């Protein structure tokens, strides 16, 4: 969104100023229209008679009651073109990488939804080399899935790792409340990893106003739609951290006297988040948008309104946590889920994939029970001991984020562990697969 | 929405989100449809409150670019749907626009398409003759619509009794052709075509009476049919946290249930889940007719990124289409995923209207709205003595997975089956994650069903179901004991009880929705397997070491699972079965 000022309607009397909004008397203004208040970007969020309320993205600190208000006559937009590759922008689409502005065709952001009958069913697997994803929660292009993670986990590193490994045409990074260090980390990682030609960033760093970040997802996704629709490209969108986005939403809605819902979030949180995440799509002509997001948790609480509403919207979630047994970061097999995995596992991947995945997770669950037994001071049975050893090997050699394997290798490794610690009956997989893949008993 | 008359005009005065206030120059109708004149397009809305000449409207599309002073036209009708042959296989939005007829990849504001096909011709067969007395809802004739005979009825809106003045002969007609002329009591002639319209928020009640359900509505899902049966014309709901399997379960029901017509309202959930149906249903077979699933299906898609205000419309549109097919004497299954999204849409609007909020900021009348919606389902005896049904199953998405929230509580009061999905079961991949102990079907106590079960399933069927349910509770109690006292702190017999309960869980409750064979278990097979499981449960094995119990039952469970994955009574099935018998006789004679 350029600051090109269409000198249309100018006003200079604010009747009311709150922390995130201001109100003035004006006529002929369009709902959701962009405006500038004392040079700051703002958007119409309410019209009541001739009273117009604007949400001021850069905050209202220091606004004068006689501030100049200029209406642009249009909803927020972004100029888009091929020249955006390798570039980083702020929430308003202004370059932050010291290079000149990008010329392009203007597209509205937060535009219309795809007609569901025009969507194609996602079917392409995106391999990441990480078993917590490829084996247990397979990622499919056109999917939307967040990492649920405590703030101390290396979630941005994992995002960058996946983005570099994924075979996609564009990576669009939407950074919300990103520290400057993390912004530079992303920038350097892509420069060094030969990903620079693919990356485009829209970044709101922590030193900027929180309300600004409300524009980031729509900016990133407008760019994603441009490349996926106009150029039929495969676009991976990284949104980090959506919790910061939702917090900004609550600031604005609370300033507008809306009745807060659970956890002081606006009652429309579900719809607000869904509008963003549902931009993930497989288009009929081959282009697609995949969204990999981050939702930081506070104290691991996933019943908080932000992760809760997110989980109801996204196609699964990936829990990032440190496994204390092996002291490595893993994607927790419990509660992590890829809802689209059914479309590819056992179809694009080997036939035994679904059963192997489920059997291993069941054993991992048994191990958790055995561990509880141990902690409660009960004697362990032979089965308990075997299943605990299975779980330890499984975490260290397969699940750990730093292990990089092909999917078939993950399956073979899991079969090896099954054979090493378990009997066929205990694994309980369809016989045709056990006959084919059971490794001869190795001494446990 | 066709044939709309505009009764007044007005100007927009205020806009917040999708709530728009306007002042009108004439009469207003509560729940009347209105059209905002926006940049050459008509954007549809519904008047949800009036105050003098002031109308408060919820707009069914984006209000981006709306301005104060914008013109709005108020119509004399509520939101209506068009009913007629050709609804099956179609994909509608919440306002019954045919999504396939829309142009382009994106949904453009103001785009409207007619839900039926005016050009196609239908072979019509009359069912009445001149001089016959008829009234609203009576069958006048029929046309074939895939597997069923679609009845052309006296329009539901028509009051009083009529005489057939003329009826078209057997032949091919378009849906807009006059096929019958009726004379009313005043002697006026009125033309009937194959299309009629109905306001979605009002129930279609052109039947003689509603009856208590009594017949099993077979779904092929064991934990439902065997343990918590739903009946033809029954109601049920599926609450569960995200990822617990609500949608997978609903899709399984849509694929397998013994229904003539299946109507799916995808209300405020993921678009890709509807795409799955669009993609798969044309290729999958209806297990009951052998025809393609799509031929018995109507989809109403108002996914979470589609206009929030149309979520409410989508569930009512779906219900009205279900009532239409019920009036033809058919068994319809109505599925809504998720009714919580509809409730949230009501909440968003109520908050914008600054109404007094009820619990969790939902509108005060939420309970009443849910109750009256569920009451539209049911088993109906039609005026001609035939019967039709709407079996309704909605999902509920409780915030934080906590069932003590307004939507779950309000639904629990009205739905007769409670299929509670448990996070723990989902976490340990025990699908479908329907909690065997918390869930219930009130129909197990219906004497109508008790009689039906004794007649149609087996004389002691209900006793067997009760036995298994009670055994599961014992299994859970015993498990708690083992957890407190330790494996060797309890008698070995406790382990046997626990593992027998596990057997019931693995062999009956758990079912792989993605396995071609296991996913759908016909009732006969359910009965066979239940009896087999009970046989094992009733066997005294007399173990002397708890480790043996587990090893032994793991083998038994594995054989049951292999049986579940095999074609019923196939050679493979028989083979596993004989291995099972062998394993059991070996143990008890040892
Ligand atoms: N019966 C089942 N068999 C196998 N997997 C299932 C079953 N039910 C659910 N799942 C798994 O759980 C995931 C989430 O299910 P879904 O129905 O989408 O949950 P919800 O609608 O409750 O959020 C599915 O993608 C699938 O992986
Ligand atoms: Mg769902």
């Amino acid at each position: 969104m350029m600051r090109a000022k269409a000198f249309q309607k100018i006003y200079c009397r604010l009747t009311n100023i709150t922390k995130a909004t201001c109100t003035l008397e004006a006529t002929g203004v369009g709902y959701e229209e962009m405006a500038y208040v004392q040079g700051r970007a703002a958007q119409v969020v309410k019209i009541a008679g001739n009273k117009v309320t604007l949400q001021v993205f850069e905050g209202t600190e220091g606004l004068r009651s006689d501030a100049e208000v200029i209406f642009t006559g249009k909803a927020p937009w972004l100029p888009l073109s091929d020249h955006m590759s390798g570039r980083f922008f702020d929430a308003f689409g202004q370059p932050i990488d010291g290079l000149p502005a990008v010329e392009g065709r203007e597209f509205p952001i937060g535009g219309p939804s795809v007609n569901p009958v025009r969507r194609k069913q996602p079917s392409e697997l995106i391999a990441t080399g990480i078993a917590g994803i490829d084996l247990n929660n397979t990622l499919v292009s056109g999917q939307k899935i967040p990492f649920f993670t405590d703030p101390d986990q290396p979630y941005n590193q994992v995002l960058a790792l996946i983005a570099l490994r994924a075979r996609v045409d564009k990576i669009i990074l939407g950074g919300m409340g990103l520290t400057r260090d993390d912004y530079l980390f992303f920038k350097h990682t892509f420069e060094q990893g030969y990903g620079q030609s693919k990356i485009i960033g829209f970044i709101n760093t922590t030193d900027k106003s929180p309300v600004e970040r409300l524009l980031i997802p729509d900016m990133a996704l407008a760019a994603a739609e441009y490349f996926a629709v106009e150029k039929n490209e495969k676009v991976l969108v990284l949104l980090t951290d959506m919790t910061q986005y939702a917090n900004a939403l609550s600031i604005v809605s609370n300033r507008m006297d809306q009745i807060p819902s659970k956890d002081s979030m606006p009652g429309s949180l579900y719809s607000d988040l869904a509008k963003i995440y549902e931009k993930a799509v497989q288009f009929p002509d081959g282009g697609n948008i995949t969204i990999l997001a981050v939702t930081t948790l506070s104290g691991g609480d996933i019943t908080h309104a932000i992760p809760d509403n997110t989980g109801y919207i996204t196609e699964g979630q990936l829990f990032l946590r440190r496994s204390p047994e092996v002291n490595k970061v893993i994607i927790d097999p419990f509660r992590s889920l890829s809802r689209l995995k059914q479309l590819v596992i056992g179809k694009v991947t080997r036939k035994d994939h679904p059963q192997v995945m489920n059997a291993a997770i069941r054993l991992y669950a048994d191990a958790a029970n055995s561990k509880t037994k141990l902690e409660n001071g009960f004697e362990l049975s032979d089965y308990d001991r075997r299943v605990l050893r299975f779980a330890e090997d499984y975490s260290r050699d397969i699940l750990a984020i730093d292990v990089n394997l092909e999917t078939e290798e993950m399956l073979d490794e899991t079969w090896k562990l099954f054979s090493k610690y378990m009997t066929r009956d205990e694994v309980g997989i369809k016989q045709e697969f056990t006959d084919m893949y059971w490794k001869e008993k190795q001494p446990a | 929405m066709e044939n709309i008359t505009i009764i007044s005009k007005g100007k927009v005065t205020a806009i917040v989100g999708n709530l728009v206030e306007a002042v009108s120059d004439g009469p207003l109708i509560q729940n009347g449809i209105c059209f905002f004149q926006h940049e050459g397009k008509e954007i549809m809305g519904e008047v949800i409150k009036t105050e003098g000449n002031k109308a408060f409207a919820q707009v069914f599309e984006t209000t981006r670019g709306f301005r104060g002073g914008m013109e709005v036209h108020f119509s004399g009708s509520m939101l209506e749907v068009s009913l007629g042959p050709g609804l099956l296989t179609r994909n509608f939005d919440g306002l019954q626009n045919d999504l396939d007829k829309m142009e382009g990849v994106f949904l453009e504001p103001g785009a409207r398409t007619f839900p039926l096909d005016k050009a196609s011709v239908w072979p019509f067969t009359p069912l009445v003759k001149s001089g016959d007395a008829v009234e609203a809802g009576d069958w006048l004739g029929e046309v074939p619509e895939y597997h069923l005979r679609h009845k052309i009825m006296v329009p539901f809106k028509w009051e009083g009794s009529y005489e057939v003045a003329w009826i078209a002969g057997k032949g091919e007609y378009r849906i807009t052709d006059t096929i019958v002329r009726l004379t009313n009591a005043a002697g006026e002639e009125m033309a009937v075509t194959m299309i009629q319209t109905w306001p979605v928020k009002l129930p279609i009640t052109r039947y003689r009476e509603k009856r208590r359900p009594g017949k099993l509505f077979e779904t092929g899902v064991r934990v439902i049919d065997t343990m918590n049966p739903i009946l033809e014309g029954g109601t049920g709901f599926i609450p569960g946290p995200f990822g617990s399997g609500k949608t997978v379960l609903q899709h399984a029901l849509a694929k397998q249930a013994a229904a003539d017509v299946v109507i799916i309202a995808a209300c405020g959930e993921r678009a890709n889940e509807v795409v799955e149906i669009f993609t798969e249903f044309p290729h999958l077979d209806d297990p009951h007719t052998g025809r393609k699933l799509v031929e018995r299906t109507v989809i109403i898609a108002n996914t979470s990124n589609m206009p929030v205000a149309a979520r409410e419309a989508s569930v009512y549109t779906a219900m009205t289409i279900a009532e239409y097919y019920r009036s033809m004497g058919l068994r319809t299954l109505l599925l809504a995923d998720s009714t919580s999204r509809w409730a949230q849409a009501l909440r968003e609007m109520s908050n914008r209207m600054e109404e007094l909020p009820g619990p969790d900021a939902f509108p005060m009348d939420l309970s009443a709205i849910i109750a009256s919606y569920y009451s539209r389902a049911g088993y109906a005896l039609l005026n001609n003595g035939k019967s039709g049904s709407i079996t309704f199953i909605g999902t509920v998405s409780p915030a934080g997975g906590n069932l003590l929230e307004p939507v779950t509580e309000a639904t629990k009061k009205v739905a007769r089956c409670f299929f509670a999905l448990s996070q723990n079961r989902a976490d340990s991949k025990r699908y479908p994650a329907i909690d065997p102990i918390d869930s219930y079907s009130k129909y197990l106590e219906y004497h109508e069903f008790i009689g039906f079960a004794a007649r149609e399933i087996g004389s002691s069927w209900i006793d067997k179901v009760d036995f298994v349910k009670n055994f599961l509770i014992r299994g859970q109690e015993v498990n708690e004991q083992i957890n407190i006292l330790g494996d060797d702190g309890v008698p070995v017999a406790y382990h046997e009880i626990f593992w027998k309960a596990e057997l019931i869980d693995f062999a009956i409750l758990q079912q792989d929705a993605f396995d071609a064979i296991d996913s759908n278990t016909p009732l006969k097979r359910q009965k066979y397997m239940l009896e087999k499981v009970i046989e094992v449960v009733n066997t005294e094995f007399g173990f002397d070491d708890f480790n043996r119990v587990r090893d032994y039952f793991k083998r038994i469970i594995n054989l049951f699972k292999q049986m579940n994955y095999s074609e019923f009574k196939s050679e493979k099935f028989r083979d596993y079965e004989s291995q099972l018998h062998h394993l059991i006789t070996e143990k008890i004679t040892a």
Side-chain angles (χ1 to χ4, degrees), chain B residues 259-278:
Chain B
D260 301 309
V261 174
V262 178
I263 294 153
I264 303 173
C267 173
E269 295 273 316
R270 303 174 186 88
N272 276 337
E273 291 172 344
V274 216
V275 174
E276 194 177 315
I277 300 177
F278 296 151

Side-chain angles (χ1 to χ4, degrees), chain A residues 311-312 337-342 357-358, chain B residues 240-250 252 269-270 273 337 395 421 426 429 431-433 511-514:
Chain A
Y312 275 116
L337 169 72
S338 159
R339 292 159 184 271
L340 299 191
K341 62 174 185 278
Q342 275 89 239
M357 167 194 88
N358 279 328
Chain B
F242 62 81
S244 57
K246 298 180 292 298
T247 305
V248 170
L249 185 58
Q250 278 216 335
E269 295 273 316
R270 303 174 186 88
E273 291 172 344
D337 187 10
T395 65
L421 300 187
K429 312 274 172 209
Y431 293 120
Q511 192 171 0
D512 186 345
F514 302 109

